[in-house]
Amino acid sequence: MDRIDHGIIDRLRLNARAGYADIGAEVGLSASAVKRRIDRLVADGVIRGFTVQVDPAVEGLATEAYVELFCRGTVSPTDLKRILAGVPEIVEAGTVTGEADAIVIMRARDVIALEDALEKVRAAATVDHTRSAIVLSKLITRTAG
Amino acid sequence: MDRIDHGIIDRLRLNARAGYADIGAEVGLSASAVKRRIDRLVADGVIRGFTVQVDPAVEGLATEAYVELFCRGTVSPTDLKRILAGVPEIVEAGTVTGEADAIVIMRARDVIALEDALEKVRAAATVDHTRSAIVLSKLITRTAG
DNA sequence: GATGAAACCTAACCTTT
DNA sequence: AAAGGTTAGGTTTCATC
């Protein structure tokens, strides 16, 4: 993982279908040298895969929300994980510093479906309450999701 | 967006570098028909781009934070977008319902780098203050990011 | 990094509905 | 018209040196 590997990954991030020669021109390497590096990055697990970014509206997952989770007493990350794993609408979740115990990102077809999913989270005995912020307009999306 | 388009996207999701002929064999179309459909999906904005999934640990972006943004007066989503677009550490951002004007997800090497990035956001005249929650442990990751 | 054979992409043209 | 198939060329990939 040197400077050139990072350059190659940056290029692939912008366009995973770019040709080896094009990438090589950017990072100052021949096409075959670029291919050897990419093959190695994939073999080593640095690159996990090549994927496509799709308009969420088309996917039927237009409604997104950031949800803060507040629990009763002390809950271990393992317990939280078990509770959240069963809700497919949860796209991302993590324990956090600050007031809340965890922050959860959810995606669903519409607000109704989102509320249903939220109800599943709230149903857990350890969950005291939640605070949701529904996304109105997406400003930046640099993840593949 | 018929059944075949969805099939093509599913294939691309698994491997964005797959050849047109390979995809065609899966969905029952010739290579050129597949290319025409993919070109159309990109032109129509259904496919936003092709990207790479990288092991976050290797990338040195281990530290993540959810940041609530509070602005002075009224700020348009367009203005917000302009402010946030210049900070590469921002992975996702959107305007939201509730108290905050926007929620921003950031990723950086460590807490120091995160603070630097946060400072760049705060530097904007329209930003009044921010409230950050640093991720302690990731519980669920269903996005490609 | 260069080479050459094989595979692939791409655009033009033709056929089908 | 709109969508798919076929073909031919130029280009890219990929193993080998």
Side-chain angles (χ1 to χ4, degrees):
Chain A
M1 284 302 295
D2 57 7
R3 178 152 224 78
I4 294 177
D5 282 336
H6 275 104
I8 289 172
I9 287 174
D10 284 347
R11 291 296 305 167
L12 286 174
R13 212 192 292 281
L14 292 173
N15 177 19
R17 283 181 81 82
Y20 297 128
D22 291 341
I23 296 168
E26 294 278 337
V27 301
L29 238 53
S30 72
S32 50
V34 171
K35 176 179 158 37
R36 274 193 293 257
R37 277 177 182 258
I38 291 179
D39 287 347
R40 196 202 67 223
L41 289 168
V42 171
D44 291 355
V46 174
I47 292 176
R48 292 194 174 160
F50 303 95
T51 193
V52 69
Q53 293 166 296
V54 179
D55 185 342
V58 173
E59 282 273 66
L61 293 171
T63 311
E64 191 169 345
Y66 299 100
V67 180
E68 288 174 280
L69 220 71
F70 300 86
C71 294
R72 243 184 290 278
T74 324
V75 183
S76 74
T78 318
D79 289 339
L80 263 178
K81 196 170 189 167
R82 197 172 29 73
I83 293 167
L84 301 176
V87 184
E89 287 86 355
I90 296 176
V91 162
E92 232 179 296
T95 56
V96 292
T97 62
E99 234 189 303
D101 293 295
I103 289 184
V104 173
I105 303 180
M106 303 177 100
R107 256 179 230 159
R109 265 187 60 250
D110 48 39
V111 184
I112 315 286
L114 201 63
E115 191 172 22
D116 286 348
L118 201 54
E119 211 46 54
K120 279 189 266 179
V121 174
R122 284 206 192 107
T126 47
V127 176
D128 187 86
H129 67 284
T130 59
R131 188 196 291 154
S132 306
I134 293 171
V135 176
L136 296 172
S137 78
K138 216 64 195 279
L139 300 170
I140 289 176
T141 314
R142 290 188 185 134
T143 47
Chain B
M1 283 303 295
D2 57 8
R3 178 149 224 78
I4 294 177
D5 282 337
H6 276 107
I8 289 171
I9 287 173
D10 284 346
R11 290 297 304 168
L12 285 174
R13 210 192 293 281
L14 292 174
N15 177 19
R17 281 181 83 81
Y20 295 126
D22 290 342
I23 296 168
E26 294 278 337
V27 302
L29 237 55
S30 73
S32 52
V34 171
K35 175 179 160 36
R36 275 192 293 253
R37 276 177 181 258
I38 292 179
D39 286 348
R40 197 202 66 223
L41 288 168
V42 171
D44 291 355
V46 175
I47 291 175
R48 295 204 170 150
F50 303 95
T51 191
V52 69
Q53 294 164 295
V54 180
D55 185 343
V58 173
E59 273 276 82
L61 292 171
T63 310
E64 192 170 342
Y66 299 100
V67 180
E68 289 175 279
L69 220 72
F70 301 85
C71 293
R72 245 183 289 278
T74 323
V75 182
S76 74
T78 318
D79 289 339
L80 263 178
K81 195 170 188 166
R82 197 171 30 70
I83 293 167
L84 300 177
V87 184
E89 287 85 356
I90 296 177
V91 163
E92 232 180 294
T95 56
V96 291
T97 61
E99 236 188 303
D101 292 296
I103 290 183
V104 173
I105 303 180
M106 303 177 101
R107 253 179 235 161
R109 266 187 61 251
D110 48 39
V111 184
I112 313 287
L114 201 63
E115 191 172 20
D116 285 348
L118 200 55
E119 210 46 53
K120 279 189 264 180
V121 174
R122 285 208 191 104
T126 48
V127 176
D128 187 86
H129 67 283
T130 59
R131 188 197 291 155
S132 307
I134 293 172
V135 175
L136 296 172
S137 77
K138 216 65 194 278
L139 301 170
I140 289 175
T141 312
R142 290 186 186 135
T143 47

